[in-house]
Every structure is written in C-alpha cells, then in structure tokens.
Amino acid sequence: ETTKTRTTFEHAEGLVEYDVQADHYIPMEELRATNDPRLQDMMEGRWDTFGGESPASEPRDADHVLFVGRLSAQKGAADLLRAVAEVARARPSVRLTIIGDGAERSRLEQSVHDIGIAERVTFRGSLDTRDVARAYRTATVLAVPSTVGAAGEREGFGLVAVEAMLAGLPVVATATGGLVDIVRDGETGLLVPAGDPSALAGAIARLLSDPAAARSMAERARADVARRFAPSAIAQRYRELYRGMTESNR
C-alpha cells in the first residue's frame, strides 16, 4: 500500500495533503459515493432505477429488521442475531431479513438454530439492485452492526446506511468508522457501541415500538444525507479543505 501511494505521488501533477488532527480530511469513500449512480438517482428522486416506486409507494412492514451487507465477522451479523433474539422476548412478531453473502453465512445459519430464532430469520443471499431497494422500502428498520475487526479494521463510508436513509428507512448503527459521520445519534438515526448486542437490541426495540418517532427520524435523515452527500456539497467541502490547507501553510 505504501509503495502504491508513493508511486501515485510521484506521477501526480499535484498533491492535496491532509492533516487528520487538523480536520483537513475528506474520506475517499465519500468522494467515491458522489459518483455512485444509485445514490444520485435516489437523491434526485429517480426511482425508476429501483423499479419505479418511491419510498412512500407502499406501506412498511411491522417489526421487520433488515441487514444488507457482506457476511463477514467485521460486519457484525452475529451480534445482530443475538440482538434480535433479545428483542423477540418482548416483541414476538419481530423478524429479520439478511441480504448478502460471505464466508460467515454457514456459521450464521447454524447460529439461528442454536439460539432459537430460525423461524424469525430469512437469509436471501445476494440480490439485485431492485430487490434490495424494495427491501429498503418495506422494512421497519435497518441495522448496521459493524464491529472493529481483529486487525483494527472498521466500517468505511457506510454506503448501505446512506442508501437506506435516502429510501426513508430508519437506521440503527454501531458507532464505528464512517458510520459516526453519517448517523447523527438521536436525530437522524441511533448509534450504539460496537460489539454490544444488548445495546443494539434496545435501539432496535425503541424504533419498533414508536413508529411515529421512527418515521420523523427517517424524514430528517433523508433530508440530511441528500444535503450533505450531494456532489455540490462534497465539492464545497473540497474547496474549504483546499482553502484551509493553503491558509495554514502561509
């Protein structure tokens, strides 16, 4: 990685420095996201990409938790299963849909039997864009339970959270990596400590039990991410970053 970075620097016509401690930093994932055609379609209301239906075109299910992502240990699906088992003790109607595939799938499928929630969990594997978008439109809450990996790896930009928020789906996420920049705790979603299934369960139950508050939070979230992650907003942040660096170096 260092070699690749040095090679890039050597062949670049110019170099934009950043200083994380001084906040002179824009995550590369954010810049990539501004070029994601799915996000741009969602921001601009072009739902034909996702089957031609807007987020308000069909009612949401009750007590339906959604997970979308790679089934790896760092994505935290195992914690989510334990959280759903805890929620189910007070809300017997709760169910979980898991969209995605990966090395942990077999272990997770065995785990739902071990902890007694097999009848509540559906593994749908990898789906196309339209089917994922429909899941965003019909679920009650999205859970993003990412953890800190064994080598210290953390959630990157959190693209799934942004997609769900643009679709009007309330989000519960762990306070790790880029998720803390996307979700404003208590305003546009709920954040909980990573690796804490009980805290995750509490946050999920809170949104399931108060649909009006969850809907209000989702509306604020959609407006917030559409404003902050639009290409024009990222461009403005880049201008401010460049201006701040040049002024600090005078």
Side-chain angles (χ1 to χ4, degrees):
E1 185 174 350
T2 301
T3 302
K4 290 181 181 178
T5 303
R6 286 175 177 167
T7 301
T8 301
F9 289 173
E10 287 169 0
H11 290 85
E13 293 182 5
L15 173 63
V16 177
E17 299 181 40
Y18 66 83
D19 179 351
V20 176
Q21 291 183 339
D23 237 8
H24 294 166
Y25 175 61
I26 296 178
M28 183 56 69
E29 292 90 345
E30 283 192 22
L31 299 179
R32 291 195 188 105
T34 65
N35 294 318
D36 187 310
R38 295 178 303 169
L39 284 189
Q40 295 314 308
D41 285 344
M42 295 168 89
M43 287 179 186
E44 297 171 18
R46 294 193 300 268
W47 287 89
D48 53 303
T49 304
F50 309 94
E53 301 171 40
S54 71
S57 62
E58 53 190 298
R60 293 197 177 277
D61 300 334
D63 291 349
H64 183 186
V65 182
L66 177 67
F67 171 94
V68 178
R70 186 177 70 256
L71 299 185
S72 65
Q74 187 264 328
K75 291 295 183 181
D79 286 343
L80 178 57
L81 295 183
R82 290 191 285 274
V84 168
E86 188 170 329
V87 172
R89 290 197 282 271
R91 301 185 72 86
S93 60
V94 70
R95 59 194 176 92
L96 168 65
T97 296
I98 293 178
I99 296 176
D101 220 329
E104 291 287 296
R105 179 167 178 170
S106 295
R107 190 174 72 83
L108 293 169
E109 288 175 329
Q110 180 59 48
S111 183
V112 300
H113 292 279
D114 295 342
I115 62 180
I117 59 170
E119 75 283 359
R120 303 180 186 281
V121 182
T122 302
F123 290 85
R124 298 194 62 190
S126 298
L127 300 180
D128 64 24
T129 298
R130 291 193 175 196
D131 286 335
V132 173
R134 187 174 190 282
Y136 287 148
R137 294 195 303 268
T138 57
T140 319
V141 60
L142 177 82
V144 189
S146 301
T147 63
V148 179
E153 63 272 26
R154 299 171 183 269
E155 184 70 33
F157 175 60
L159 182 62
V160 166
V162 175
E163 288 181 344
M165 293 162 88
L166 286 170
L169 178 60
V171 172
V172 172
T174 49
T176 182
L179 293 169
V180 298
D181 296 320
I182 294 169
V183 179
R184 301 182 190 275
D185 187 33
E187 297 179 21
T188 64
L190 297 178
L191 290 173
V192 300
D196 188 340
S198 291
L200 184 61
I204 291 171
R206 174 180 166 185
L207 292 183
L208 295 182
S209 63
D210 194 344
R215 186 164 51 251
S216 178
M217 193 174 286
E219 289 170 357
R220 290 193 298 271
R222 189 182 192 287
D224 184 58
V225 295
R227 175 182 57 81
R228 288 197 292 141
F229 298 113
S232 58
I234 296 296
Q236 178 60 30
R237 290 181 62 190
Y238 214 106
R239 285 193 292 271
E240 292 171 356
L241 167 67
Y242 183 77
R243 187 181 301 116
M245 289 190 304
T246 55
E247 289 177 355
S248 65
N249 288 329
R250 286 177 181 172

